[in-house]
Amino acid sequence: MRPARRGFKHQTAVSTGEINRIIIVGAGQAGGETAQRLRQAGFAGDITLIGEEPCAPYQRPPLSKAYLAGKLEMDRLLLRPPSVYAEEHISFLPSMKAVWIDRATKKVRVEGGRELPYDALVLATGARPRKLPLVGADLDGVRLFRTAADVDAIRPRFVSGAKLVVIGAGYIGLEVAAVARQSGLETTVIETAVRPLARVTSPEVAGFFLDEHTRQGVRFVLGGQPAIIKGQDRVTGVGLADGGELPADIVIAGIGVTPETTLAQHSGLAIDNGIVTDAECRTSDPHIFAIGDCASRPMAHFDGRVCRLESVHNAVEGAKIVAALITGQKPHAVEAPWFWSDQYDLKLQIAGLFQGYDHVVFRGVMADRSFAAFYYKGDKLIAVDAVNRPGEYLGAKMLIQTGRSLPHDVITDETRPMKELVASAR
Amino acid sequence: MPKITYIEHTGKEHVIEAPNGQTVMEAAVKHAVPGIDADCGGACACATCHVYVDPEWLAKTGEAGSMEQSMLDFANDVEDNSRLSCQIKVSEALDGLIVRLPKSQH
């Protein structure tokens, strides 16, 4: 092990075994957090962080919220100021693509041919937004929604009176629609399913958000099938399979993502809806970890069910798990998965995984714009969607994390505070 | 720029210059002050940026809003001077602010 270099903020001596060189491929939140947490935990060896985007790691959630609305500048989006990477001796290589992993000699080759040796490799390659499989998808004014550059490109036209068509009514599509209405755009959302948020929440909660957006002036084409993007150089509209046409100055597609597994696949790592890992984020090669949107791992609170989660929680947790493991610190205590979405004045907070629920009960009423939907599988609480109900969200998250539950008629009893109910749970 | 002092549970102090308009959480995270996780980046969604405001500064930082208070209800070791640092905006009036960090955010 080489001696600790000067300049680290944390020089606690930590046994790093044989690991002196760590390469992180992917400089999104998962990759950026890994580098930071390794240093915080006292790792004194080499850290190389390779990212395809030109900028330092930043938070993606605000892209479809405050950043799109122009309320948050890029420097506040960054996880940390760009200067800290040099200060902490993290070799950050932006605008750089890793193209090959030689697992036998433990080297990563980057575009241009340079080869970088590693003792441990962390793949945090994220996900690619799905492209619209339509003629005209490459017209000016049609954008996918993943990077700050995507938003920067949209912004000049994202102005009051402009006609916006959003394709896909998932959380990103609906968040964009909310910002659009608040910015005065004429907004239409096309969704191929018969309701919004079909993959991510119950019909009841989806109905609440549909009503809210409709009230705010968003038009919905549900069960709609976009067939063609029309325009010469610039987009002018979206043609539907039923012959209808929606005029558009901007088209934003939010139709899901595909895990970025190309590099892992070429080097023969096990892939199954993302790079397959164990609970410690180790891939089928013990020297390679995979974290964040690109990886699938067993979920502790859900009988080890293997999931690929696209969330901040999952990105940060992967970084914590790997940093603790490599530096020999106390293993990270895994949390119940959590998510959030901001639309208008509604803060939706989600904990757990609702898939497979057989019963949903409500605390509070939707008309008050403040309620929580608790999802059960049998007697077991498995998830919560809380709208403007942070206590219900955190309380349910705690219950799920500790494997406790509350009967339906108890959790919905508004005469008793959530904190008291959680304390009484078995 | 206003200076803010963060005191870790161990007693270790970090004095940070925090730009006006940012939050007390952001300034800490950007300078890697240990003890403030702030996983959600300030969306008031995770309750992992809990701090204790020095009692002398309470009047200037103001009180927690209702959403913040509901989140704090479920944080560990909550005291009367507990706040979520993502909800405290830095201004000249807070130049010299002292906050203490809890033992753990979880």
Side-chain angles (χ1 to χ4, degrees), chain A residues 251-313:
Chain A
V251 173
I252 296 177
I255 54 170
V257 298
T258 317
E260 181 52 77
T261 57
T262 316
L263 188 62
Q265 212 155 4
H266 286 166
S267 59
L269 296 176
I271 312 279
D272 182 8
N273 180 27
I275 306 165
V276 177
T277 77
D278 63 13
E280 293 181 322
C281 302
R282 236 184 256 273
T283 67
S284 50
D285 179 328
H287 304 288
I288 304 178
F289 300 88
I291 61 172
D293 290 8
C294 70
S296 286
R297 75 181 151 99
M299 292 291 129
H301 310 290
F302 292 86
D303 306 319
R305 190 164 93 216
V306 177
C307 290
R308 191 179 64 77
L309 301 179
E310 297 155 9
S311 70
V312 164
H313 152 252

Side-chain angles (χ1 to χ4, degrees), chain A residues 226-363:
Chain A
I228 186 170
I229 311 287
K230 296 190 173 179
Q232 290 293 327
D233 299 316
R234 276 185 65 163
V235 61
T236 56
V238 178
L240 299 168
D242 67 5
E245 184 174 338
L246 301 165
D249 303 312
I250 316 167
V251 173
I252 296 177
I255 54 170
V257 298
T258 317
E260 181 52 77
T261 57
T262 316
L263 188 62
Q265 212 155 4
H266 286 166
S267 59
L269 296 176
I271 312 279
D272 182 8
N273 180 27
I275 306 165
V276 177
T277 77
D278 63 13
E280 293 181 322
C281 302
R282 236 184 256 273
T283 67
S284 50
D285 179 328
H287 304 288
I288 304 178
F289 300 88
I291 61 172
D293 290 8
C294 70
S296 286
R297 75 181 151 99
M299 292 291 129
H301 310 290
F302 292 86
D303 306 319
R305 190 164 93 216
V306 177
C307 290
R308 191 179 64 77
L309 301 179
E310 297 155 9
S311 70
V312 164
H313 152 252
N314 184 50
V316 174
E317 185 154 273
K320 288 178 178 174
I321 291 171
V322 170
L325 197 69
I326 287 177
T327 57
Q329 295 211 327
K330 185 165 72 89
H332 168 71
V334 292
E335 292 178 76
W338 55 270
F339 316 82
W340 80 92
S341 175
D342 298 326
Q343 298 167 43
Y344 310 107
D345 60 340
L346 303 172
K347 178 169 285 292
L348 169 65
Q349 295 169 298
I350 303 162
L353 302 171
F354 89 115
Q355 286 84 0
Y357 79 97
D358 51 37
H359 205 74
V360 56
V361 297
F362 293 86
R363 186 173 163 90

Side-chain angles (χ1 to χ4, degrees), chain A residues 36-90:
Chain A
Q36 174 182 349
R37 284 168 196 280
L38 282 166
R39 282 292 183 247
Q40 270 188 344
F43 177 75
D46 294 345
I47 300 176
T48 305
L49 177 61
I50 303 172
E52 289 185 25
E53 288 182 69
C55 46
Y58 60 90
Q59 313 167 62
R60 290 192 203 281
L63 291 180
S64 49
K65 308 177 184 89
Y67 188 71
L68 178 60
K71 290 177 185 161
L72 197 65
E73 295 306 311
M74 190 63 201
D75 63 325
R76 291 186 70 188
L77 213 55
L78 295 175
L79 292 180
R80 307 174 69 205
S83 56
V84 300
Y85 298 93
E87 284 164 23
E88 296 188 0
H89 300 278
I90 293 163

Side-chain angles (χ1 to χ4, degrees), chain A residues 384-400:
Chain A
V384 64
D385 286 334
V387 173
N388 293 342
R389 286 281 181 130
E392 278 72 2
Y393 155 72
L394 276 179
K397 178 168 177 270
M398 260 183 196
L399 292 176
I400 297 164

